[in-house]
Amino acid sequence: MNIAELRDRILKQDRRALARAITLVESGRSDHRAQAAELLDQLRDNGKEALRIGLSGTPGVGKSTFIESFGVFLTTQGKRVAVLAVDPSSTRSGGSILGDKTRMERLSRDKNAFIRPSPSQSHLGGVARRTREAVALCEAAGFDVVLIETVGVGQSETVVAEMSDLFLLLLAPAGGDELQGVKRGIMEMADLILVNKADGDLKATATRTCADYAGALRLLRKRPQDPETFPKAMTVSALEEKGLIDAWGEMETLCKWRQSEGHWESRRARQAHYWFMEELRQGVLAQLESVEARREIAELSQAVSKGQASPTAAAEQVLKGLKLRLKAGAEEK
């Protein structure tokens, strides 16, 4: 299938074409990267835009259960929902174990939902390197909401905030020490903190935990992109599907406020700049994987180990050689 045909099928909401396109953008082959860049460029001005929601949470908090309940809730509201679930990678094959798709059985059967597990491939930030491009493909395919699930909560999980319009932090009911276990960085990024499992014997505990986080949020510096009452903490029960209507209402309120105040477009512009710089950094790192660079790095590494060169001077020499190779490559073209 050529790129033009793949583009047309994606715009016609062909799910198989979408899956094939995501596989293409996730590929590391140079010819596939060129095709992926061409496809994304052809889809860039399609006029379709989805609400991008990033979701992170501690292991065992019930992220998959929440996404399934929330996804089904959205599809009953007439929304088309795409879920990009980032799984931990296999150390042998580099692939995903597809755990999230098997646990979201009800949502995976919904004709208005699309679930795509992707391996993180040890990429820091809780998301796969090409997740941002997969989001763009889902938007082009006409999905109204794209849910981006990270591997798990941690200091580096905040990268998902650089590709989402809203960032949800899902937490479990616990004692007071739980507040100490969540990194401040991810707390400051969260737009909504949802305390899950607010049902049965844990309902009272969840209410207390929610109050603890609400108090902690009041101590954080107010963000200019938020109205007076945000960020906020709420309780939900993914198992009993309670609190989802209220949570969605708060998300819509925050989105409308940011759009009316001009924060929506400026946020997306900053994100585009962030990923432009990230692609540049990754491109430079890829150049260091060339045969010439690896040979030079190996020689200088030995010199540094033996004390014959300082780490700073050796690094400068590698970068200087990289500049010369890039210049020679540009002149050849």
Side-chain angles (χ1 to χ4, degrees):
M1 187 187 305
N2 60 41
I3 295 301
E5 185 182 352
L6 189 59
R7 175 204 62 206
D8 293 342
R9 286 178 58 180
I10 290 172
L11 293 173
K12 292 177 182 177
Q13 303 181 358
D14 186 320
R15 296 157 64 95
R16 289 189 177 183
L18 174 59
R20 187 167 181 173
I22 294 176
T23 299
L24 181 66
V25 301
E26 288 179 344
S27 173
R29 282 175 41 176
S30 58
D31 56 333
H32 287 174
R33 288 305 308 151
Q35 291 173 342
E38 182 184 351
L39 175 63
L40 290 165
D41 192 56
Q42 291 189 20
L43 291 171
R44 183 165 44 87
D45 296 321
N46 61 78
K48 298 178 181 179
E49 188 174 275
L51 171 60
R52 310 166 186 170
I53 301 177
L55 178 74
S56 189
T58 49
V61 74
K63 292 195 294 292
S64 296
T65 306
F66 173 80
I67 289 175
E68 179 170 54
S69 297
F70 187 52
V72 171
F73 164 75
L74 291 175
T75 58
T76 58
Q77 303 293 311
K79 306 286 187 185
R80 297 185 71 236
V81 179
V83 178
L84 301 176
V86 182
D87 276 353
S89 294
S90 163
T91 55
R92 292 188 176 182
S93 66
S96 163
I97 62 172
L98 308 181
D100 288 296
K101 193 161 187 176
T102 58
R103 284 181 292 181
M104 300 180 198
E105 186 179 354
R106 189 159 51 116
L107 187 61
S108 64
R109 295 197 304 264
D110 195 316
K111 65 180 182 178
N112 289 319
F114 173 82
I115 303 175
R116 172 69 182 219
S118 297
S120 63
Q121 297 178 333
S122 301
H123 183 65
L124 290 178
V127 292
R129 182 182 171 190
R130 299 300 173 186
T131 299
R132 176 187 57 88
E133 295 174 351
V135 171
L137 292 172
C138 291
E139 286 187 318
F143 286 94
D144 303 300
V145 179
V146 180
L147 294 169
I148 311 158
E149 180 195 0
T150 69
V151 173
V153 71
Q155 191 66 43
S156 64
E157 303 295 308
T158 53
V159 173
V160 74
E162 297 295 344
M163 63 177 71
S164 55
D165 302 311
L166 296 176
F167 183 32
L168 311 183
L169 180 58
L170 203 62
L171 299 173
D177 288 341
E178 173 71 6
L179 190 59
Q180 299 292 333
V182 177
K183 302 290 186 181
R184 174 169 176 150
I186 203 166
M187 284 271 291
E188 291 174 329
M189 290 287 184
D191 296 307
L192 278 179
I193 291 179
L194 302 177
V195 182
N196 194 23
K197 303 184 179 181
D199 48 58
D201 295 338
L202 288 174
K203 188 171 183 178
T205 307
T207 302
R208 289 195 300 270
T209 302
C210 182
D212 289 341
Y213 283 106
L217 288 173
R218 285 194 289 271
L219 298 176
L220 298 179
R221 184 187 307 171
K222 188 176 183 309
R223 303 179 303 191
Q225 73 269 26
D226 290 336
E228 196 63 38
T229 57
F230 284 87
K232 62 174 57 178
M234 304 176 66
T235 58
V236 295
S237 170
L239 187 63
E240 297 183 353
E241 300 184 2
K242 292 180 179 178
L244 300 181
I245 296 176
D246 293 337
W248 176 241
E250 295 292 351
M251 293 179 216
E252 288 187 308
T253 298
L254 182 56
C255 288
K256 289 175 182 176
W257 188 87
R258 284 179 175 172
Q259 288 169 342
S260 64
E261 295 295 319
H263 295 296
W264 188 272
E265 291 301 325
S266 62
R267 179 187 178 100
R268 287 205 167 188
R270 286 195 305 271
Q271 289 176 346
H273 175 73
Y274 172 89
W275 289 107
F276 165 65
M277 296 303 297
E278 184 65 18
E279 285 296 324
L280 283 178
R281 280 190 286 270
Q282 294 296 332
V284 171
L285 290 175
Q287 291 292 330
L288 293 176
E289 291 297 317
S290 66
V291 176
E292 298 87 348
R294 284 205 302 267
R295 187 184 303 117
E296 185 179 20
I297 290 171
E299 292 173 356
L300 287 169
S301 179
Q302 287 186 353
V304 170
S305 300
K306 294 177 181 177
Q308 298 171 349
S310 71
T312 303
E316 287 290 338
Q317 188 171 334
V318 171
L319 293 174
K320 184 178 180 180
L322 177 60
K323 278 184 190 177
L324 292 174
R325 283 190 292 274
L326 289 174
K327 184 178 179 181
E331 289 175 350
E332 287 178 5
K333 292 180 180 178

